[in-house]
mmCIF file of all heavy atoms in Angstrom:
data_model
loop_
_atom_site.group_PDB
_atom_site.id
_atom_site.type_symbol
_atom_site.label_atom_id
_atom_site.label_comp_id
_atom_site.label_asym_id
_atom_site.label_seq_id
_atom_site.Cartn_x
_atom_site.Cartn_y
_atom_site.Cartn_z
ATOM 1 N N ILE A 31 -19.440 290.324 -28.915
ATOM 2 C CA ILE A 31 -18.314 291.013 -29.514
ATOM 3 C C ILE A 31 -18.446 292.492 -29.401
ATOM 4 O O ILE A 31 -17.467 293.254 -29.197
ATOM 5 C CB ILE A 31 -18.216 290.624 -31.015
ATOM 6 C CG1 ILE A 31 -17.812 289.165 -31.137
ATOM 7 C CG2 ILE A 31 -17.209 291.495 -31.745
ATOM 8 C CD1 ILE A 31 -17.783 288.645 -32.520
ATOM 9 N N LEU A 50 -13.914 317.391 -18.092
ATOM 10 C CA LEU A 50 -14.681 318.618 -18.293
ATOM 11 C C LEU A 50 -15.370 319.074 -17.039
ATOM 12 O O LEU A 50 -15.506 320.336 -16.825
ATOM 13 C CB LEU A 50 -15.683 318.430 -19.410
ATOM 14 C CG LEU A 50 -15.147 318.218 -20.844
ATOM 15 C CD1 LEU A 50 -16.264 317.948 -21.785
ATOM 16 C CD2 LEU A 50 -14.409 319.478 -21.281
ATOM 17 N N TRP A 103 -13.062 334.327 -2.777
ATOM 18 C CA TRP A 103 -14.086 335.058 -2.054
ATOM 19 C C TRP A 103 -13.744 335.120 -0.561
ATOM 20 O O TRP A 103 -13.334 334.042 0.005
ATOM 21 C CB TRP A 103 -15.428 334.483 -2.245
ATOM 22 C CG TRP A 103 -15.945 334.425 -3.649
ATOM 23 C CD1 TRP A 103 -16.034 333.261 -4.395
ATOM 24 C CD2 TRP A 103 -16.439 335.497 -4.485
ATOM 25 N NE1 TRP A 103 -16.480 333.600 -5.667
ATOM 26 C CE2 TRP A 103 -16.774 334.924 -5.696
ATOM 27 C CE3 TRP A 103 -16.587 336.847 -4.265
ATOM 28 C CZ2 TRP A 103 -17.284 335.708 -6.788
ATOM 29 C CZ3 TRP A 103 -17.111 337.630 -5.261
ATOM 30 C CH2 TRP A 103 -17.461 337.054 -6.494
ATOM 31 N N THR A 203 -22.174 317.638 -19.618
ATOM 32 C CA THR A 203 -23.499 317.004 -19.519
ATOM 33 C C THR A 203 -23.745 316.148 -20.723
ATOM 34 O O THR A 203 -24.241 315.003 -20.571
ATOM 35 C CB THR A 203 -24.567 318.101 -19.404
ATOM 36 O OG1 THR A 203 -24.327 318.920 -18.241
ATOM 37 C CG2 THR A 203 -25.952 317.443 -19.331
#
Side-chain angles (χ1 to χ4, degrees):
I31 291 175
L50 290 174
W103 301 105
T203 301

